[in-house]
Amino acid sequence: MQASVGDGVDKTPQELDAPQEAARREFIAELWRRFEALQEWAVSHWPDQEHPLSSADFVEARKEILSLRSPAGSLNQPAQRNEAEPEQGGAQYVDVTPAPWP
C-alpha cells in the first residue's frame, strides 16, 4: 500500500508518535514478563543454598526496566530535549562518562 503525499499532514506530533509509543509499551511489557520468569528461574536454581537469592537481589534490574517507561530513558540520564544545540549557543560537549568507583 502506498501512502499519498498528504498523509500525516493533519496529524499532531503526538498522533504520529502513537504507533511508536504503543510498540515501546508492548516491548516493555514483554521485557518485564520475561524478566519475572528469569528471576523465578534464578531463585529456584541458585546453587548456593547457604546464601539463597531473593527478589531483593533484583531491585536494581527492576529499576532499570521501569525507567524505560519514561521517554527520557534511564532515570540516571537527564532529559536533554529542551537544551540548545551547539549552533544555538548550547554546550558543544556533554560528558557522559560515569564517575569512577570510589
Side-chain angles (χ1 to χ4, degrees):
M1 179 177 161
Q2 283 188 328
S4 67
V5 176
D7 285 351
V9 172
D10 297 332
K11 293 184 177 180
T12 65
Q14 291 82 13
E15 290 172 329
L16 292 173
D17 289 339
Q20 184 179 17
E21 180 65 20
R24 189 168 71 80
R25 288 182 184 272
E26 185 179 325
F27 173 82
I28 293 168
E30 178 67 15
L31 178 63
W32 186 260
R33 186 188 66 73
R34 290 182 182 207
F35 174 75
E36 289 291 317
L38 174 66
Q39 177 182 315
E40 286 179 30
W41 178 87
V43 169
S44 64
H45 289 84
W46 182 245
D48 186 0
Q49 296 301 318
E50 292 181 22
H51 304 95
L53 286 178
S54 71
S55 62
D57 294 313
F58 298 91
V59 169
E60 292 302 317
R62 280 196 293 275
K63 285 181 186 177
E64 288 296 321
I65 293 171
L66 291 175
S67 74
L68 295 174
R69 293 187 301 184
S70 68
S74 175
L75 297 173
N76 297 328
Q77 299 283 333
Q80 297 178 356
R81 293 185 179 182
N82 296 331
E83 293 183 15
E85 294 292 323
E87 62 268 9
Q88 298 167 337
Q92 295 201 8
Y93 175 77
V94 178
D95 186 11
V96 294
T97 307
W101 189 260

